[in-house]
Amino acid sequence: MNHKLAAPTPPLGWNSWDCYGAAVTEDEIRGNAEYMAEHLKDYGWSYITVDIQWYEPQANSSQYRPFVPLVMDEYSRLMPAENRFPSAAGGQGFKPLADYVHSLGLQFGIHIMRGIPRQAAHAAAPILGTTATAREIAHTNSICPWNTDMYGVDASKEGAQAYYDSLFELYARWGVDLVKVDDIAASRLYDTHQPEIVLISKAIERCGRPMVLSLSPGPAPVEYAELFTGHANMWRVTDDFWDQWPLLLDMFSRCRKWQGVPQSGSWPDCDMLPLGHIGIRSVDGGGADRWTRFTRDEQLTMMSLWSIFRSPLIFGGELRDNDDWTLSLLTNREVLRMHRESRGAKEALCTDELIVWTADHTDGTRYAALFNVGENPLALELDLEEIGLSGTAAGTELWSGTPAELNVGSLQTTIPPHGVRLYSFL
């Protein structure tokens, strides 16, 4: 099975982390899925992902409780906590919830941590398909610096592949369509965990069900681009991204590093979109229960950069609380068409205040995103030849739907501070 077929275009979806941290419940997953099916599915949005620690019965925020008992089956595999996910009762795991998400015409994703539960290693618990125990394959010096749930898996040990195979066989039975693996793409303590990426990639190939493989956290090292494109569908180019202008400004340099890499099946990931109502039970990112701190212009900048660069678009807010403005950011068909179908995105111009990205479409449409990263309004008369778009006859600003002001090969506009003008040209 060619792993690239799982994500021929950048995935669009929702993830529970930005609003619920580690503490999301089944009702909240179902409610967000229902909203997506009603309001977003028609625009290409499809993934509903349960983020971290669904196996921790008492998880209550984005702050992890260290060294607590986790729900686990007899083969060292973590299982959903039934008090938070009642449909998992009787060993059914996430199958009933995945079935419900599928019944809405959507796809179901889960988050896992790299490795094997520490409690399984300490108990020398068995692993399906091998005589090796969890203790024998655990790499006890390979730990996550910010979460105590797991030890790494020593890929050189007999039983290491069998453990990951058993995980993904289980996820295939549940009906999982996307797996976000954390503490693997980059590490504060170690390099990228390359051997475990290979084990996981092979386990997905063997499980018989196409699954999108998403790797976190970032920043994934660009020198490993070949490893990531060869084994995963998306990988984070940043640490957790939140609603703060300095983080958004920094994303331009991260996209510059990775330009030319996005291709069918392989998507550098700028992280979730912290839009709408976030922080409900997630206290990361320097804020509690709130609406995004990004201004409307900053929200347009983020959506435009993610879309022209072709990052996956994973919404982080509580969908059911969306206002008309937030919904409009997710349902602009022309912007989504650019995100889905454009090619060759690159930074065409970079000055102190102005950054321009361009991309092409096979039908001859050309795109340009003009970003004002300065603190004052920017009045522009831009020679289109300067950004490689000479010969342009007409254009449209995609967010407003207004015609581009073109005059003898130059584009005239004023861009608000931290704002953008996103054009399609013919």
Side-chain angles (χ1 to χ4, degrees):
M1 186 189 310
N2 182 346
H3 79 279
K4 289 181 180 290
L5 299 177
T9 57
L12 281 72
W14 175 86
N15 176 293
S16 59
W17 173 255
D18 282 3
C19 44
Y20 294 113
V24 74
T25 65
E26 179 165 352
D27 282 349
E28 288 156 349
I29 296 294
R30 287 174 177 256
N32 278 274
E34 288 156 7
Y35 179 98
M36 182 177 285
E38 183 178 349
H39 299 283
L40 295 172
K41 182 174 70 170
D42 184 46
Y43 295 86
W45 297 81
S46 65
Y47 289 96
I48 294 287
T49 299
V50 183
D51 209 82
I52 196 167
Q53 280 201 323
W54 36 265
Y55 42 79
E56 210 279 67
Q58 305 308 319
N60 55 28
S61 78
S62 54
Q63 305 296 303
Y64 311 113
R65 302 186 320 128
F67 305 109
V68 293
L70 309 173
V71 181
M72 191 177 80
D73 76 357
E74 68 271 31
Y75 293 116
S76 308
R77 300 178 296 190
L78 294 168
M79 300 291 284
E82 293 175 18
N83 62 318
R84 292 170 52 200
F85 299 94
S87 72
Q92 293 188 91
F94 273 133
K95 186 174 191 320
L97 182 53
D99 286 349
Y100 180 69
V101 171
H102 293 151
S103 78
L104 298 173
L106 302 174
Q107 293 167 289
F108 181 70
I110 60 171
H111 172 294
I112 66 170
M113 296 294 292
R114 168 187 72 89
I116 193 160
R118 292 187 188 191
Q119 69 188 43
H122 298 161
I127 295 166
L128 190 65
T130 176
T131 56
T133 67
R135 180 177 294 173
E136 288 166 331
I137 71 165
H139 194 329
T140 54
N141 284 331
S142 180
I143 59 170
C144 174
W146 42 266
N147 178 283
T148 60
D149 295 344
M150 314 294 267
Y151 290 126
V153 165
D154 185 339
S156 70
K157 293 293 178 66
E158 182 70 31
Q161 185 67 60
Y163 166 69
Y164 275 119
D165 286 354
S166 75
L167 278 191
F168 283 87
E169 284 166 20
L170 178 66
Y171 303 156
R173 283 209 309 278
W174 286 350
V176 171
D177 303 297
L178 178 150
V179 181
K180 174 183 173 183
V181 185
D182 214 335
D183 186 41
I184 196 163
S187 171
R188 295 175 200 165
L189 293 180
Y190 318 96
D191 198 357
T192 299
H193 293 281
Q194 298 184 54
E196 283 186 88
I197 291 173
V198 174
L199 290 176
I200 290 165
S201 174
K202 193 174 290 184
I204 292 175
E205 278 178 31
R206 292 176 172 183
C207 80
R209 181 181 181 85
M211 292 183 200
V212 171
L213 176 57
S214 167
L215 304 179
S216 286
V222 73
E223 57 266 30
Y224 298 151
E226 198 172 321
L227 170 84
F228 295 124
T229 56
H231 294 283
N233 301 108
M234 43 192 281
W235 55 91
R236 284 261 297 279
V237 302
T238 176
D239 203 345
D240 283 7
F241 178 80
W242 285 104
D243 48 336
Q244 296 160 322
W245 171 249
L247 296 178
L248 180 49
L249 181 61
D250 179 59
M251 198 62 69
F252 287 93
S253 63
R254 297 180 185 275
C255 291
R256 182 187 308 125
K257 273 188 206 170
W258 285 93
Q259 66 184 326
V261 174
Q263 58 180 283
S264 182
S266 304
W267 309 109
D269 177 11
C270 296
D271 198 16
M272 284 179 275
L273 301 161
L275 292 169
H277 187 190
I278 58 176
I280 297 167
R281 289 198 292 280
S282 183
V283 296
D284 270 22
D289 192 337
R290 66 190 183 279
W291 279 74
T292 184
R293 293 171 295 200
F294 281 140
T295 66
R296 286 192 172 189
D297 284 314
E298 290 166 349
Q299 293 174 54
L300 290 170
T301 287
M302 176 176 62
M303 288 299 298
S304 300
L305 180 60
W306 269 235
S307 295
I308 199 165
F309 177 71
R310 305 187 78 201
S311 168
L313 299 178
I314 309 296
F315 188 85
E318 168 51 76
L319 284 170
R320 294 168 292 181
D321 293 339
N322 278 354
D323 56 9
D324 289 345
W325 163 261
T326 306
L327 182 59
S328 76
L329 296 172
L330 311 180
T331 54
N332 185 306
R333 290 197 186 276
E334 288 304 311
V335 174
L336 292 170
R337 178 175 180 264
M338 176 188 72
H339 176 255
R340 185 176 61 251
E341 300 174 10
S342 66
R343 298 288 183 273
K346 62 177 185 290
E347 186 184 82
L349 185 65
C350 182
T351 68
D352 287 346
E353 294 181 324
L354 178 65
I355 298 175
V356 178
W357 275 73
T358 59
D360 301 309
H361 193 284
T362 51
D363 71 359
T365 303
R366 297 185 289 178
Y367 297 100
L370 284 56
F371 300 97
N372 176 6
V373 296
E375 300 303 318
N376 300 295
L378 183 62
L380 269 188
E381 185 157 343
L382 182 65
D383 184 346
L384 290 175
E385 194 171 345
E386 194 180 345
I387 58 170
L389 295 182
S390 56
T392 293
T396 304
E397 205 286 316
L398 296 182
W399 292 113
S400 63
T402 56
E405 291 184 42
L406 295 171
N407 183 21
V408 198
S410 71
L411 171 67
Q412 295 172 315
T413 189
T414 299
I415 313 172
H418 299 187
V420 64
R421 296 288 182 258
L422 177 61
Y423 293 98
S424 67
F425 294 112
L426 294 172

